[in-house]
Amino acid sequence: MSRNGSELAEFGYRQELNRTLSTTDLIVYGLVFMVPIAPWAIFGVVFNESRGMVPLVYLIGLAAMIFTAISYAQMSRAFPIAGSVYSYVGRGLDPRLGFLAGWTILLDYLLVPTLLYVFAAESMSGIFPAVPKPLWIVVFLGINTVINYLGISFTAVVNRIFLAAELIFVVIFVVMAVAAISRGVNGASFTTTPLFNPAEFSPALAAAALSIAVLSFLGFDGIATLSEEAKGGRRSAGIAMISGLILVATFFVTQTWLAALLVPGRTQFSEDETNNAFFGIVGSISSPGWEIAFLAMNALAVGIANCIAAQSATSRLLFSMARDGQLPSGLAKVNPRTKVPQRAIFLIAGITLVAGLFFVGQIDLISALVNFGALTAFLLLHVSVIAYYGVRKHSRNVVLHWLVPIVGFCIIGFVLINADPMAKIGGLVWLAIGVVVMFYYRRNGTSILPEHAATTEDSSA
């Protein structure tokens, strides 16, 4: 039996998924999930919320999320299996809390593709206004489902192609922006004001910025769902999560700093300008043709590449929970040829289609619900690090196994407390449904996780 196969056997599983992804593949996957060009679509909104300090928002977000990424890395090393936070909390803390962690982040994973399809449809409507937005959702969803069904190796190739295309556009924008600033277009000049403007900064602004930034960085955690398809060992997923987070933050800060420099003296966009603020800046320093090209690249990156990654992560989470008897067993069915959890993939496609068509034009509501699901799961993740390493393993690494999760818990808790009230209500309703589902499966004796969780120890921790 291979080393990776024996690792799975420790947890009572056999190797069913196709283990072909390198650490580089995982980093590429994480970058595609987080989208290096993500600030394009929301630049105007974030600009207004941050009084022009958009790059500061992303620096704050990186500082906040790096603690969660480190906690993920610790737990992915202890439990290199596909369930991500569901498995980490279930095995490191308590099986029931593990189910609830998986259930709450499932809200995030189910709604992220919905949010992305809505974003993509908005972008495509700017290019083809006569085409109904729901039609774009159907088209993108169909393409992504086929790509995911064809297997993780094919998905990895598509990820690399799209990441390369996104980075080419990042380079094009940087070159155009630097040239325009050097010429003083619209009075632009190089300054650090967008990074920090003491005249506009306030603690309230930082708090608002943190909520925005957390949503922007969601996706690095999806890397953990591919642990059973990675061939780089126990540390692979953790290295990829932290590396991906730092790399994408670099892209975010660079692009938004240059874009903010191109609108000197402004701290607000008008209502008409806000939705397409970044693309308007591109048009002002180039041509309408380039503006359309950037709009198209944004739509394809979000509507295809990003959604492929989101659908992959969600299907693996469903696969892991179903394999443990926490959800219908049919969702653990793996296609013998493509080695993917096919029923989970198709279920995600169906749910996303219905949700996408329902939520067209309701970006704010979807975003708020996505935040609630992820943040609640992150809280439980930090507690599981302390419980597993600090308490059960008696770790002497105070920084990694006590300080980091405590700081991470406080940051995530602060954001969650200040979340949108409607998101809290919707999230709590979803959590209540999860409690009912959990008791149903435990009462019927189909859950197998508690026994594994109680007996499995990580010999390498």
Side-chain angles (χ1 to χ4, degrees):
M1 182 181 293
S2 68
R3 180 189 67 181
N4 290 319
S6 63
E7 283 181 356
L8 280 183
E10 291 178 30
F11 303 103
Y13 305 130
R14 59 188 176 87
Q15 186 69 49
E16 295 182 89
L17 303 177
N18 199 10
R19 196 178 284 277
T20 59
L21 300 180
S22 66
T23 302
T24 300
D25 287 326
L26 294 180
I27 293 173
V28 170
Y29 170 85
L31 289 174
V32 168
F33 204 154
M34 289 182 281
V35 192
I37 60 174
W40 295 3
I42 59 174
F43 180 80
V45 174
V46 182
F47 189 93
N48 289 349
E49 289 285 340
S50 63
R51 306 292 294 174
M53 292 176 283
V54 184
L56 177 63
V57 168
Y58 292 113
L59 287 172
I60 291 173
L62 174 63
M65 297 308 293
I66 198 70
F67 292 96
T68 299
I70 293 172
S71 285
Y72 259 105
Q74 294 304 301
M75 296 308 288
S76 67
R77 181 186 175 192
F79 305 106
I81 50 182
S84 183
V85 68
Y86 153 71
S87 296
Y88 304 157
V89 176
R91 295 177 181 279
L93 183 60
D94 180 84
R96 289 156 295 191
L97 292 176
F99 175 87
L100 294 179
W103 184 263
T104 54
I105 208 163
L106 191 57
L107 179 63
D108 166 25
Y109 284 179
L110 287 173
L111 290 181
V112 161
T114 301
L115 177 63
L116 299 173
Y117 286 129
V118 172
F119 268 132
E122 292 287 346
S123 294
M124 292 305 288
S125 68
I127 305 172
F128 304 102
V131 178
K133 294 176 184 177
L135 181 59
W136 289 116
I137 294 176
V138 173
V139 170
F140 286 137
L141 179 61
I143 294 172
N144 296 338
T145 301
V146 170
I147 292 172
N148 267 301
Y149 179 76
L150 291 176
I152 196 65
S153 296
F154 182 70
T155 301
V157 171
V158 174
N159 284 339
R160 286 177 180 254
I161 292 171
F162 270 99
L163 180 60
E166 290 178 49
L167 296 184
I168 288 171
F169 269 80
V170 169
V171 171
I172 291 171
F173 173 71
V174 169
V175 171
M176 290 194 305
V178 170
I181 295 167
S182 299
R183 298 195 311 270
V185 173
N186 298 324
S189 63
F190 288 101
T191 173
T192 58
T193 301
L195 294 168
F196 183 74
N197 183 356
E200 297 289 347
F201 183 80
S202 68
L205 183 149
L210 188 58
S211 297
I212 297 169
V214 165
L215 177 62
S216 299
F217 286 112
L218 293 182
F220 76 89
D221 53 297
I223 293 173
T225 64
L226 302 183
S227 291
E228 288 182 34
E229 290 154 284
K231 57 183 180 181
R234 287 178 180 266
R235 297 178 182 271
S236 183
I239 292 171
M241 280 185 276
I242 295 172
S243 301
L245 192 63
I246 293 172
L247 282 172
V248 84
T250 302
F251 293 130
F252 288 174
V253 170
T254 301
Q255 293 174 91
T256 56
W257 175 54
L258 292 173
L261 292 178
L262 290 165
V263 284
R266 298 188 65 172
T267 57
Q268 292 285 304
F269 286 106
S270 68
E271 186 175 340
D272 292 337
E273 296 173 307
T274 299
N275 288 338
N276 290 301
F278 182 89
F279 304 105
I281 291 171
V282 171
S284 72
I285 62 173
S286 56
S287 66
W290 274 114
E291 184 176 347
I292 292 174
F294 272 73
L295 271 168
M297 184 67 249
N298 179 72
L300 293 174
V302 172
I304 295 182
N306 197 190
C307 287
I308 290 172
Q311 193 175 30
S312 296
T314 313
S315 62
R316 270 62 176 183
L317 177 60
L318 291 179
F319 162 79
S320 184
M321 295 180 75
R323 180 176 61 181
D324 287 340
Q326 307 289 311
L327 291 175
S329 59
L331 294 175
K333 174 70 174 177
V334 173
N335 184 290
R337 184 174 60 85
T338 61
K339 301 295 183 182
V340 296
Q342 59 182 18
R343 294 181 182 176
I345 288 173
F346 292 138
L347 176 62
I348 297 305
I351 293 174
T352 303
L353 176 61
V354 173
L357 297 178
F358 177 79
F359 282 113
V360 168
Q362 301 184 62
I363 291 175
D364 289 343
L365 177 58
I366 311 173
S367 301
L369 288 171
V370 165
N371 259 355
F372 181 92
L375 294 175
T376 304
F378 291 170
L379 285 179
L380 291 171
L381 170 76
H382 288 300
V383 175
S384 71
V385 173
I386 296 172
Y388 181 73
Y389 283 104
V391 178
R392 191 188 308 179
K393 292 292 186 180
H394 307 291
S395 171
R396 296 181 180 179
N397 193 330
V398 176
V399 174
L400 285 180
H401 302 146
W402 287 95
L403 182 60
V404 166
I406 287 173
V407 174
F409 183 94
C410 292
I411 292 172
I412 297 302
F414 173 80
V415 178
L416 190 58
I417 289 171
N418 291 279
D420 182 273
M422 288 302 296
K424 293 178 184 177
I425 294 172
L428 289 173
V429 169
W430 175 259
L431 189 59
I433 295 172
V435 171
V436 173
V437 172
M438 179 181 68
F439 278 111
Y440 170 80
Y441 278 98
R442 290 181 67 83
R443 183 175 181 180
N444 284 273
T446 55
S447 174
I448 65 170
L449 179 60
E451 290 77 13
H452 288 320
T455 58
T456 302
E457 293 288 334
D458 172 35
S459 59
S460 68

